Amino acid sequence: MRKRTWLAGAQAAALVALAAGLARADAPRRYAVVVGNNHSLDEGVPRLSYADDDALKYFELLQAAGVEVWLLAVADPDAQQRFPAATRVAAPPSRRELMKALASAFTKIEADQVAGRESHFFFVYSGHGGLGAGREGYVNLLDGRLARSELYREVIARSPATYNHLIIDACHAYYLVQKRGGSDSDKQGDYTASVGDFLRAEELTSYPNTGVILAASSEAETHEWSRWEAGIFSHELRSALLGGADVDGDGAVTYSEAAAFVEAANSAIDVPQARLRVWYRAPARDVRAPLLGPGAFSRGPFLRIEKEDAQRFHVEDSRGVPVADLHPSNEQAVRLALVGAAPFYLRAEGREATVPDGPETTTRELVFSASSASSKGSVEASFRRNLFKVPFGGGFYRGLLAAPAHPDAPSAHRDAPAPRLLRVLGWAGIGLGAAAGVAGGFTMAAASRAHSDYEQAPTQAAAIDAHRRTDRWSWASYGLWAAGGALLTTGACLLVADHRAAGATPKMMPLATVGDGAFSLGVTGSW
């Protein structure tokens, strides 16, 4: 009896293991090319401090999430010491190495496509960017620029992945605590405009499998902070992906959740030039497609922050590498994945605790002791005082999505809105009206031929038949033209109503043309 019980248990365990293996085989495959470059080819633009660190940290996070990563970065000596595994596999961020990494990733994705497996491709860039000729956005590689048109052609259009995810932390000038890359630079770039130039929304609609999330600030600059040894946007986004932004507790982090998390983190900053904004667009084919799906960090370890303990938290690992910052609200608990070198340290309002080894630890298990910290400078003080001052939870998330979009606020960019009904009907009316006008022209041509037959009829019977055909085609033409005119007018009115509802002012003027034996009446303008 015991033997039968043992055999049954062994069979059950084998079935569970087989099911788990099949689940892993069916899970989406994820690939990433991560680029970090401290240097700019633009004259007078200072070197960055932490673009390479950001790339190395993205590498660690994505690898921990089961992503196969190609890393392009030249780490400084300190980063090489703290990230030896990443440094060993890193290649220079040159054009040749970028194309080589993309080709390798796309070859593996094509194999997944043949096998019928879902695949996700991440393109992550941290470094200098700017605007070139014709206001075309670009980012810097070691030996050249990657322009917006090349990004579309070489990355987005070439990718065979089910979903593409673009994460870009770049602008004209950068902050350390003053302007990123140096305190004496006075460069001012219209980064909000360059976001639109770099990834135009109308072009993204051609790639409904592609999502984008980028950083921009109210003063057209993005930022680094020496305390985090990272770009502020990149550090906050990694904090979001580790679980800080998972407001519904489903284990996945969507574009809107990540964007709302970053917005909450920066909403209390009181120094205008330090205020960071976020711009995002989720893949149009599925606006709920997550940046990282459930179970991405299945191996742990995890820190569970109970809702009763909600406050500002900072997490570091044993190397002194900042892992995450967050300020959860008391609406729900947060399950944060810990990526880095254990042990991990949790700091909160002048206290710190060591997170013990184990698959999952709760804040109720931790023993806190006093810690000390110092600050300097107005921007530094504002960052310390106000970053993550506003708690993030379901209330903030729902409120941000419900808020009306501000024209200068990239963060208000919603997930791929549906086409407006009045606009669709308006253009449909204009299209049908134009078709009716063309059909009326054909019927009038038939009437003209019938009238010619009438004038040349050899018999009275043939003349009567031609006369009837002339009347029939003429009246058909008049009817089609009348219907076409009504449809054109209705379509134009619907477009005017649509743009008034959207707060825009259409420009319209009458148009009439007269020629030999022809007359046309219509409207021209912009909607």
Side-chain angles (χ1 to χ4, degrees):
M1 183 69 180
R2 285 183 179 177
K3 187 175 181 180
R4 289 182 181 177
T5 304
W6 182 87
L7 286 173
Q11 289 172 343
L15 287 173
V16 169
L18 178 61
L22 290 173
R24 285 193 297 270
D26 292 338
R29 303 290 179 89
R30 291 181 166 85
Y31 307 90
V33 171
V34 176
V35 183
N37 182 23
N38 285 331
H39 301 276
S40 173
L41 299 174
D42 300 324
E43 185 178 354
V45 177
R47 183 182 183 277
L48 302 181
S49 296
Y50 303 122
D52 58 334
D53 294 75
D54 277 327
L56 298 171
K57 292 172 184 177
Y58 276 120
F59 175 85
E60 281 198 341
L61 182 148
L62 292 170
Q63 268 209 331
V67 181
E68 185 171 353
V69 187
W70 286 261
L71 174 62
L72 306 181
V74 177
D76 59 45
D78 180 62
Q80 291 179 30
Q81 190 172 19
R82 292 201 285 179
F83 301 93
T87 302
R88 281 194 296 269
V89 301
S94 64
R95 180 178 297 275
R96 177 178 177 276
E97 292 294 339
L98 175 60
M99 297 305 160
K100 181 179 174 181
L102 290 171
S104 298
F106 294 160
T107 297
K108 293 201 171 189
I109 295 171
E110 285 168 357
D112 291 332
Q113 191 178 45
V114 171
R117 288 190 292 261
E118 181 179 317
S119 57
H120 292 245
F121 174 68
F122 294 82
F123 180 78
V124 183
Y125 179 88
S126 178
H128 273 300
L131 291 174
R135 294 186 61 79
E136 183 178 23
Y138 63 84
V139 293
N140 280 277
L141 302 173
L142 274 182
D143 56 353
R145 296 170 174 174
L146 181 71
R148 174 184 51 80
S149 56
E150 292 178 292
L151 178 73
Y152 274 94
R153 183 175 66 249
E154 301 295 340
V155 180
I156 300 175
R158 280 182 59 201
S159 171
T162 312
Y163 291 101
N164 298 314
H165 307 284
L166 272 62
I167 299 171
I168 300 177
D169 188 0
C171 68
H172 299 145
Y174 284 81
Y175 273 58
L176 180 56
V177 169
Q178 290 83 17
K179 290 182 181 177
R180 189 175 182 180
S183 60
D184 58 348
S185 173
D186 61 355
K187 282 185 172 288
Q188 295 289 330
D190 185 359
Y191 186 57
T192 302
S194 74
V195 167
D197 288 336
F198 194 77
L199 290 166
R200 293 174 183 165
E202 63 267 24
E203 292 185 8
L204 279 176
T205 58
S206 300
Y207 303 95
N209 66 329
T210 299
V212 183
I213 185 163
L214 317 119
S217 78
S218 58
E219 289 295 315
E221 313 252 355
T222 54
H223 309 74
E224 287 182 330
W225 191 18
S226 57
R227 185 187 181 212
W228 286 347
E229 299 177 341
I232 286 182
F233 168 72
S234 287
H235 178 76
E236 291 171 348
L237 182 60
R238 287 191 295 269
S239 301
L241 294 175
L242 289 170
D246 184 17
V247 291
D248 55 9
D250 65 352
V253 176
T254 65
Y255 280 82
S256 56
E257 286 177 329
F261 178 89
V262 175
E263 182 68 17
N266 294 277
S267 60
I269 291 295
D270 54 4
V271 178
Q273 68 269 25
R275 179 71 184 273
L276 182 145
R277 294 293 222 173
V278 60
W279 189 96
Y280 76 99
R281 180 183 287 270
R285 67 181 292 180
D286 182 5
V287 297
R288 293 291 299 173
L291 277 159
L292 284 180
F297 302 100
S298 56
R299 291 177 292 181
F302 294 93
L303 173 65
R304 181 179 174 85
I305 301 174
E306 303 294 351
K307 61 182 181 181
E308 295 81 8
D309 297 326
Q311 57 185 301
R312 277 193 279 192
F313 290 105
H314 172 75
V315 182
E316 284 186 8
D317 71 2
S318 62
R319 301 168 297 182
V321 175
V323 174
D325 279 76
L326 67 163
H327 186 175
S329 70
N330 59 6
E331 299 167 88
Q332 71 279 319
V334 172
R335 191 169 185 252
L336 189 74
L338 300 177
V339 173
F344 296 91
Y345 302 92
L346 181 67
R347 295 192 175 95
E349 303 299 333
R351 301 177 303 141
E352 68 178 27
T354 302
V355 180
D357 289 339
E360 184 162 344
T361 304
T362 71
T363 47
R364 292 302 176 92
E365 301 173 54
L366 300 179
V367 178
F368 285 87
S369 59
S371 65
S372 61
S374 60
S375 63
K376 58 183 180 180
S378 61
V379 175
E380 170 85 8
S382 180
F383 283 163
R384 285 184 177 270
R385 185 173 62 250
N386 295 320
L387 277 174
F388 289 98
K389 183 176 182 178
V390 175
F392 176 73
F396 185 98
Y397 174 69
R398 291 186 294 271
L400 184 68
L401 293 186
H406 188 279
D408 297 324
S411 59
H413 202 293
R414 299 291 180 257
D415 286 335
R420 299 191 298 264
L421 179 61
L422 289 178
R423 186 180 182 86
V424 172
L425 292 176
W427 284 114
I430 288 177
L432 290 172
V438 172
F442 281 115
T443 55
M444 182 55 72
S448 178
R449 288 194 298 271
H451 183 70
S452 178
D453 292 343
Y454 168 75
E455 291 180 337
Q456 300 173 14
T459 63
Q460 184 176 4
I464 292 172
D465 178 68
H467 186 269
R468 287 174 178 171
R469 284 189 288 114
T470 301
D471 286 346
R472 186 166 60 249
W473 286 118
S474 296
W475 282 111
S477 180
Y478 299 149
L480 285 168
W481 280 343
L487 285 167
L488 285 169
T489 303
T490 302
C493 290
L494 288 171
L495 289 176
V496 170
D498 170 73
H499 274 256
R500 285 182 175 172
T505 303
K507 298 177 181 179
M508 183 171 59
M509 61 182 295
L511 175 68
T513 58
V514 180
D516 294 336
F519 172 77
S520 67
L521 179 65
V523 293
T524 182
S526 61
W527 290 274

